[in-house]
Amino acid sequence: VVICSYGLAPNLIASGVIQPGMFKCAIVDESHMLKNKNTKRTKAILPLLMATTRCILLSGTPALSRPMELWPQLSALSQKGWWDDEAEYVRKYVRSDGETADGGSLAELHTLLTSTVMIRRMKVDMLKNLPKKERHNAKIRIKDEELKREFAKSMQLLREGKGTLGELARQHKKEEDERKSAGGQNGEEEAGGHDNNMTNGNSAADRSNTLSESRTGEGTIDLETARAAANQQAQQEFEQVLHHCQQYITSNPGAIQGDVNQFFNGYLQSKRPEIEQRLRDRLSQLTVGGMYNGLRIIDQSEESTRKTILNHLYTLTGKAKVPIIVKMLNAWLDGPSSRGKLCIFAHHIDILDAISEGAGLSNASGSRRRFIRIDGSTNPKVRQEEMMKFQSDPTVRVAILGITAAGVAVTLTAASTVWFAELFWTPAIMIQAEDRCHRIGQQATVKCLYLIAKGTLDEGKRSSSYLLKMVFVILCVEFL
């Protein structure tokens, strides 16, 4: 029996200590670590897995909107005759930009997965005694006039765009105007108020349906990416011809007259001009303003400008909420009825800094506001120490956490209250963050509070925020 980490495995394989064929069985925990077929780790480990007679992949992490990230894991199981044609898989389930092809393809892919290689175990079925999560919105009104003007200016620039972002911005403006004309201020609460429209929201199907509806409007792709995708499509077509020819020769050995290699090469050469002509035709049609696979082609500068505006809005959104979050945190720490521990998630480092500094969090001797922090700069050893400190030390009551850095491989069940100071682009990432507290060992109901700032990028209900609308679908896949 050999137990090996993902970091060590490539070196052992490269040195020949571990070789394909050495093992009859492989169990791969956290198999989503092999999602990128181009990484050194995946290239080294996949041949080892494919050479086994039994391979079990385990993952509790969803496949975040990109079916292409499932392919390396599926190819490790291809010795059973399933999932052995990458070109066909890409054609049916993957768009040129790597996202899901369409809703029908997603449903078909899910059906194929569950009928061939995937056994899914839901937390609600396995941990029946685990209390449910509650999700709430707290709507915040921004009072800083300068920030309001900056938001209005940036949102106007976004509305002038021609792609999906522009469409979403214009739709948001239309809905906002309709609310105002209908007296839509009613029902909005001041900072700290809760909108309970999302209690016990645990339905992945509901989330997927909401997000799938957002895939309206015109998507975009820059010219160079479109050209690269066209070239890749031609390569895939050629590989598919190669695969079919190999299958024919294997299945019909007596049908080949003369040298097999000569037949093989002749067949490939006869197909090459046809594929190359199709590629030339595709490339000649790729111009700025034209279309590629339903996406409007733009130049790179236009795309960069739009992303810059969006990122600026994202940063402003977090910045706008810091003062009220600090005020809430102070009240939570000082309140006579305040008990337990609290996890606060944000995305930007400066937002994490502002919250901890604004609330006077400190681990100095004698401090009554001790805390832990895990972000992208936290090394693995310190990460583990911080986690254990939070779990075992009653004087450490607050965890300041990066959504992506602390969203996986962390257990923080000592807390049952979670605040999201910032939203993230992918809903599944935030669900993963919630589950740092909502997991085995948790005895209390986990209450997740999403802080939504009025007039900003994440205005409105969490399920209809701009950040969440940027994601088209979620496919939660767990191998067992």
Side-chain angles (χ1 to χ4, degrees), residues 13-28:
I13 294 170
S15 64
V17 176
I18 294 178
Q19 298 178 6
M22 288 180 64
F23 307 104
K24 292 184 177 180
C25 177
I27 300 175
V28 185

Side-chain angles (χ1 to χ4, degrees), residues 62-331:
L64 307 178
S65 311
R66 294 179 177 272
M68 195 62 225
E69 293 181 354
L70 287 175
W71 176 254
Q73 299 173 73
L74 295 173
S75 65
L77 308 173
S78 63
Q79 65 265 44
K80 296 297 182 182
W82 303 309
W83 315 105
D84 54 2
D85 190 338
E86 182 178 0
E88 180 68 8
Y89 179 88
V90 170
R91 185 187 67 80
K92 295 182 70 174
Y93 307 121
V94 183
R95 286 194 339 217
S96 61
D97 57 359
E99 304 291 347
T100 309
D102 56 53
S105 296
L106 178 64
E108 178 182 323
L109 177 58
H110 183 267
T111 300
L112 286 173
L113 286 169
T114 53
S115 64
T116 56
V117 297
M118 185 177 79
I119 301 174
R120 189 179 183 192
R121 294 290 181 258
M122 302 293 289
K123 182 183 293 184
V124 67
D125 298 323
M126 304 302 292
L127 302 176
K128 296 184 182 296
N129 295 326
L130 185 66
K132 289 185 178 180
K133 281 186 287 192
E134 293 182 1
R135 297 192 184 102
H136 305 272
N137 291 336
K139 297 182 180 179
I140 297 174
R141 290 182 181 176
I142 305 302
K143 297 180 180 179
D144 188 314
E145 293 300 324
E146 184 177 346
L147 274 177
K148 285 183 179 180
R149 288 192 293 271
E150 186 64 29
F151 273 115
K153 178 182 176 181
S154 297
M155 291 296 285
Q156 179 59 37
L157 290 173
L158 208 57
R159 283 194 291 271
E160 293 171 357
K162 298 179 181 180
T164 303
L165 297 181
E167 177 67 24
L168 289 172
R170 289 188 291 274
Q171 180 65 26
H172 175 270
K173 179 70 166 110
K174 179 181 177 182
E175 292 172 356
E176 184 180 30
D177 291 343
E178 289 174 351
R179 283 198 304 271
K180 288 181 179 179
S181 64
Q185 298 294 331
N186 296 332
E188 289 194 359
E189 304 183 35
E190 294 290 349
H194 292 185
D195 175 358
N196 294 316
N197 290 336
M198 293 175 20
T199 57
N200 299 332
N202 292 311
S203 171
D206 291 343
R207 291 191 297 273
S208 295
N209 290 338
T210 299
L211 295 168
S212 295
E213 291 169 2
S214 73
R215 210 173 158 182
T216 58
E218 183 184 26
T220 60
I221 184 173
D222 68 82
L223 181 59
E224 290 306 311
T225 301
R227 288 172 175 166
N231 277 285
Q232 183 181 20
Q233 185 177 351
Q235 179 63 31
Q236 290 167 352
E237 289 177 1
F238 190 77
E239 289 175 356
Q240 190 171 4
V241 168
L242 176 67
H243 177 72
H244 288 164
C245 184
Q246 289 173 328
Q247 282 190 324
Y248 178 80
I249 293 173
T250 303
S251 303
N252 304 277
I256 308 299
Q257 301 295 326
D259 184 70
V260 172
N261 289 332
Q262 186 176 355
F263 171 83
F264 184 73
N265 292 330
Y267 181 78
L268 295 183
Q269 291 304 318
S270 69
K271 293 294 183 180
R272 185 182 295 275
E274 180 183 341
I275 295 173
E276 290 177 345
Q277 184 58 51
R278 283 201 296 269
L279 173 60
R280 285 192 291 271
D281 292 342
R282 291 193 196 103
L283 292 175
S284 67
Q285 296 171 10
L286 298 180
T287 58
V288 173
M291 301 295 291
Y292 177 77
N293 284 357
L295 303 174
R296 186 175 65 86
I297 301 173
I298 61 176
D299 61 37
Q300 186 63 46
S301 60
E302 181 182 350
E303 179 70 3
S304 298
T305 300
R306 224 182 285 151
K307 287 182 178 179
T308 299
I309 296 171
L310 184 64
N311 288 331
H312 179 57
L313 277 169
Y314 190 12
T315 303
L316 279 182
T317 298
K319 181 180 178 182
K321 292 184 281 187
V322 167
I324 191 61
I325 293 170
V326 169
K327 183 178 179 181
M328 290 171 61
L329 179 53
N330 283 329

Side-chain angles (χ1 to χ4, degrees), residues 30 32 59-64 408 432 476-478:
E30 306 291 355
H32 56 273
S59 177
T61 298
L64 307 178
V408 294
Q432 288 283 94
C476 296
V477 178
E478 298 161 335

